[in-house]
Amino acid sequence: MSKFLVNKYKALEPYTPGEQPRERKYLKLNTNESPFPPSEKAIALAAEEAKRLMLYSDPECKELSAKMAETLGVKTENVILTNGSDEVLNFAFMAYCDENTPAVFPDITYGFYKVFAAVNALPYKEIPLLSDFSMPTDALLLEKGTLFIANPNAPTGLLLPLSEIERLVASDPSRIVVVDEAYIDFGGESAVSLISKYDNLLVTGTFSKSRSMAGARLGFGVGSPALIADLHRIRYSTNPYNVNRMTAAAGIGALSDPEYFEENCKKIIEARAYAVEALASLGFTMTDSKANFLFARHEKIGGAELYAALREKGVLVRHFGAERIKDYNRITVGSMAEMQTLVKLIKEILEEKL
Ligand code: PMP
């Protein structure tokens, strides 16, 4: 830290992204990326667009917004495109929280929410998940602040049914509910269908997981035209060219290839079912994840210990040190072959340790 950094950032604890190591080739099951390449259509359109990189991107992101709206069954004024969904989430913290309206989220959820609150100097309140990690919906109903709900939640993978999301949204029309659907395509029902009914609902999504485009940084928000206008106001005040040309082109390509998207989601769901069964037979306990990751613990080996043993064998998973979840690891669901490798290596580790 330099002596010039202003006081308000001195105590800021930045988000710790999952490791992206370069020194060795790991089987990367730590940041919930897709094991499959982007759609050929996305690659071709991005490559073509590279020829026009001397020009700024379209600040209105017109073509992609139209395609996104069509895909979601909404209008373009219901959609904003952003640099990953992290950006739209940050915009939502900026737009809908202040000293009188804290951000409210579960104690165990996406770690960035706390950082978005901190970097914007916003108060926040954490509501404990229930003992089985399920969402404390009744406690959340009583909160007056802006709710941030990852659905499915991370790192537990647990899904709230759409009816429960609706209960939260409908219970207090004066409260904004932000539903972060980064993992919705792996078995959940999206709350986008509710946005025409409720003007206090903002749904966010990403191309990073189910659409194999984590490196392109493309996310989106869906809500009433008024909410979306709020977010554009912040976007135009920070970075109007937030979605670059190649990414916008790749996004259009990805949305033009629904068969590939559906096929990949299906493959992940199948690999997840295989991994759940195989790990359960090795003695693991897991949450009922509807995301592209598993949240798993074993009676006989600690979370940190398994993480280290897997790393030694060339597999990266994600371990969080927080007290309530330190016995667990979050393991990205990759291809079937990757899950078979994982299971084989875990079997070896258990044999070596026990
Ligand atoms: N929400 C959740 C719950 C996530 O796990 C992630 C991925 N780290 C994001 C949002 C942000 O993803 P991206 O910025 O790549 O869209």
Side-chain angles (χ1 to χ4, degrees):
M1 192 186 306
S2 86
K3 63 185 178 192
F4 304 107
L5 185 67
V6 292
N7 283 336
K8 66 177 178 181
Y9 294 128
K10 280 188 178 149
L12 183 63
E13 258 190 63
Y15 177 70
T16 316
E19 298 164 87
Q20 307 288 358
R22 303 279 178 255
E23 83 281 1
R24 166 177 174 186
K25 185 141 178 48
Y26 285 97
L27 171 50
K28 255 187 110 281
L29 303 178
N30 66 332
T31 48
N32 303 337
E33 290 146 317
S34 172
F36 310 117
S39 151
E40 286 293 339
K41 292 185 182 172
I43 296 170
L45 287 184
E48 180 58 31
E49 197 59 31
K51 296 176 190 158
R52 288 182 279 278
L53 283 179
M54 66 290 197
L55 301 174
Y56 282 110
S57 57
D58 172 14
E60 290 181 47
C61 229
K62 263 208 183 107
E63 217 182 320
L64 176 56
S65 297
K67 193 80 195 160
M68 188 82 237
E70 180 197 321
T71 304
L72 297 170
V74 299
K75 301 214 169 77
T76 48
E77 59 264 35
N78 296 118
V79 176
I80 181 171
L81 276 311
T82 54
N83 191 308
S85 57
D86 281 338
E87 188 177 50
V88 69
L89 288 164
N90 189 36
F91 289 169
F93 274 80
M94 293 167 78
Y96 303 119
C97 304
D98 68 9
E99 55 284 2
N100 303 314
T101 315
V104 179
F105 42 82
D107 62 340
I108 297 164
T109 189
Y110 183 33
F112 220 141
Y113 297 161
K114 239 195 245 189
V115 182
F116 290 135
V119 75
N120 294 302
L122 300 166
Y124 66 89
K125 187 167 171 187
E126 294 175 284
I127 310 294
L129 290 183
L130 305 183
S131 58
D132 61 355
F133 296 138
S134 60
M135 206 45 82
T137 318
D138 291 331
L140 290 168
L141 278 175
L142 304 174
E143 292 298 326
K144 289 286 166 213
T146 298
L147 299 183
F148 289 84
I149 310 286
N151 198 38
N153 196 14
T156 63
L158 292 178
L159 179 78
L160 262 191
L162 189 56
S163 55
E164 285 290 278
I165 294 286
E166 182 161 11
R167 194 157 75 93
L168 283 169
V169 178
S171 65
D172 183 353
S174 69
R175 174 186 58 208
I176 297 272
V177 180
V178 179
V179 183
D180 171 354
E181 296 190 344
Y183 302 104
I184 199 71
D185 297 327
F186 304 106
E189 199 181 345
S190 173
V192 164
S193 59
L194 301 177
I195 61 129
S196 55
K197 202 165 154 196
Y198 300 100
D199 66 3
N200 59 325
L201 170 65
L202 179 70
V203 179
T204 67
T206 182
F207 283 59
S208 295
K209 319 292 175 183
S210 53
R211 295 189 191 271
S212 305
M213 281 176 45
R217 314 304 303 127
L218 185 59
F220 57 94
V222 197
S224 74
L227 291 189
I228 297 303
D230 298 339
L231 302 174
H232 280 303
R233 172 186 283 265
I234 294 177
R235 188 174 69 83
Y236 274 101
S237 309
T238 49
N239 185 9
Y241 306 111
N242 60 334
V243 177
N244 73 69
R245 280 184 169 269
M246 288 174 74
T247 294
I252 293 167
L255 294 178
S256 310
D257 199 353
E259 297 81 15
Y260 183 68
F261 159 74
E262 278 155 28
E263 187 189 310
N264 286 345
C265 290
K266 200 166 142 242
K267 282 188 193 159
I268 295 291
I269 292 168
E270 282 166 10
R272 181 176 71 201
Y274 158 77
V276 164
E277 206 181 299
L279 292 179
S281 75
L282 294 177
F284 281 87
T285 333
M286 281 153 286
T287 52
D288 180 19
S289 174
K290 296 289 183 238
N292 66 337
F293 53 81
L294 302 177
F295 195 52
R297 67 177 290 220
H298 197 283
E299 282 282 296
K300 303 223 167 81
I301 180 164
E305 197 184 347
L306 178 63
Y307 164 83
L310 278 170
R311 194 170 212 286
E312 191 94 332
K313 289 189 183 286
V315 182
L316 284 182
V317 297
R318 188 97 201 244
H319 178 254
F320 299 94
E323 191 52 36
R324 278 188 84 179
I325 55 171
K326 66 180 184 350
D327 293 340
Y328 287 79
N329 277 290
R330 191 194 70 191
I331 306 170
T332 301
V333 175
S335 65
M336 187 63 91
E338 287 174 341
M339 292 299 96
Q340 284 162 348
T341 304
L342 171 83
V343 169
K344 178 175 137 286
L345 294 174
I346 288 186
K347 223 184 243 174
E348 280 175 26
I349 292 169
L350 292 175
E351 277 161 13
E352 283 158 21
K353 302 260 170 198
L354 308 180

